Amino acid sequence: MNLSAIDVNLVIALDALLQERSVTLAARRVGLSQPAMSHALTRLRELFSDPLLVRVGRQMALTSRAEAMTPQVAAIMHDLAGLFGGAAPTFDPATSDRAFRIAATEYVELLLLPQLNAALAQGGPRLALHLLPLDGRAVDALRSGEIDLAIGAFPPDGLPSDLRRAPLFDDRLAGLARASHPTARGRVDLATYAALPHVVASRPRAHGAHGAHDGVADDLIAARGVSRREVMVVPHVFLLPHVVTASDLVATVAARLGRAFSSVLPLRTFDLPFELPPIEIAMVWNGRTEHDPARAWLRDAVAGAAPRTREAARRKRA
């Protein structure tokens, strides 16, 4: 059966005929003339190879085939009404038990999670949040619906056309050293920076994205032609402050991250001896979910949880 050859109006006429069991009453029900409904009945009889309505005495009765299809046709009419005439989907965070899935780096989680958790708790006590690592599967996971959102240093021109992007906040790179470090303080010169022993965090990158502490720092510093003396590589960024606190090793991290570490450990940040462009952290989502109320609510919550002060502006004022 070629479905494209079927006129949906025939389904409407069929439903009216099955319900009214009269050509005249069926025509009146859907606003057709009696000849037009008779013509529709003729076409339906040809499609089903069944008379559908037969005269019994002075009334019309349904054939066995017509009786059997009546519930199915009614269900189809209900679905059509919901598809074309139903209200747009809504999302009420106060009553929803939705579990949102976000892929992000440790850096993003550290900066956004407290405020985002508070927003979810206030918006809906039954909402849940699942955080996943931002890795090379991020784009495919967005496309498949496995995750609702990805957050990282996604460049504006590095994404497939079916994904959408919105900036959240800026950051810059800074050095991180123990508070009593004899050399790394204030603004070190280039020779000193290059000679210092460095610890770096390394992890798989997401497609077209960085975590503002792995990969992006290496790329920006390498672009300046600076060669660092890397003596230790650790698997994730949260090991950096513990290594730096207990040694003369230094790290190059996002400034917001460095300030967060320095607030709980005897660490300090220092200015790099060269200028680097700011890092822009953005959220990315599947364009097909642009108008989904639940995911739109999530994006608003993430935007509200983002740091208000843009790091580039702060750096310029300093």
Side-chain angles (χ1 to χ4, degrees):
M1 172 64 70
N2 183 6
L3 293 178
S4 63
I6 297 177
D7 185 352
V8 175
N9 288 320
L10 283 179
V11 180
I12 299 173
L14 176 60
D15 179 65
L17 288 165
L18 296 176
Q19 298 298 326
E20 300 294 345
R21 305 188 183 196
S22 164
V23 173
T24 300
L25 295 178
R28 189 179 302 163
R29 177 174 180 149
V30 298
L32 291 178
S33 66
Q34 185 174 17
M37 184 58 73
S38 295
H39 178 66
L41 178 58
T42 299
R43 293 179 62 192
L44 288 165
R45 283 168 168 169
E46 293 173 352
L47 282 172
F48 289 102
S49 300
D50 188 271
L52 300 178
L53 281 174
V54 294
R55 183 167 296 281
V56 178
R58 300 178 61 180
Q59 296 181 333
M60 301 292 288
L62 301 180
T63 64
S64 298
R65 177 87 182 271
E67 288 277 8
M69 72 172 66
T70 296
Q72 184 179 5
V73 174
I76 293 172
M77 290 295 295
H78 180 270
D79 291 343
L80 287 173
L83 177 63
F84 292 102
T90 60
F91 174 71
D92 182 4
T95 59
S96 175
D97 58 358
R98 176 73 176 263
F100 292 112
R101 299 171 67 85
I102 298 178
T105 63
E106 297 100 330
Y107 160 78
V108 169
E109 292 166 358
L110 179 66
L111 294 182
L112 294 187
L113 189 55
Q115 292 81 4
L116 183 57
N117 182 57
L120 263 66
Q122 182 178 5
R126 298 170 57 191
L127 295 174
L129 180 62
H130 295 178
L131 291 172
L132 305 170
L134 186 67
D135 56 25
R137 297 180 56 251
V139 168
D140 291 338
L142 283 170
R143 285 171 165 166
S144 68
E146 182 180 343
I147 61 175
D148 301 299
L149 204 61
I151 308 175
F154 290 91
D157 56 355
L159 292 173
S161 59
D162 59 329
L163 299 184
R164 302 290 180 267
R165 175 187 181 277
L168 292 173
F169 60 91
D170 287 348
D171 209 339
R172 65 181 180 90
L173 292 176
L176 183 69
R178 62 183 173 90
S180 58
H181 197 288
T183 306
R185 61 179 67 242
R187 179 186 287 272
V188 302
D189 58 36
L190 183 57
T192 300
Y193 176 81
L196 285 168
H198 290 256
V199 56
V200 299
S202 178
R203 53 176 270 171
R205 301 180 186 177
H207 178 83
H210 300 288
H213 58 78
D214 57 341
V216 64
D218 298 335
D219 292 346
L220 292 175
I221 293 171
R224 295 286 304 189
V226 177
S227 176
R228 293 180 293 175
R229 187 162 69 92
E230 299 179 359
V231 300
M232 184 181 295
V233 178
V234 295
H236 59 78
V237 70
F238 287 145
L239 285 176
L240 292 178
H242 301 287
V243 172
V244 171
T245 299
S247 70
D248 282 341
L249 273 66
V250 300
T252 301
V253 299
R256 294 182 188 275
L257 194 63
R259 288 198 296 272
F261 290 154
S262 300
S263 68
V264 294
L265 291 171
L267 297 166
R268 67 163 175 256
T269 60
F270 60 90
D271 293 333
L272 302 181
F274 39 79
E275 292 294 328
L276 294 174
I279 303 162
E280 185 177 70
I281 303 301
M283 58 179 170
V284 177
W285 64 94
N286 190 328
R288 291 188 293 105
T289 67
E290 181 81 17
H291 303 293
D292 175 65
R295 291 185 174 96
W297 184 91
L298 175 64
R299 294 194 297 271
D300 287 343
V302 169
R308 297 294 90 197
T309 304
R310 294 182 71 80
E311 185 63 31
R314 171 186 287 207
R315 176 62 175 162
K316 186 176 181 180
R317 290 195 301 270

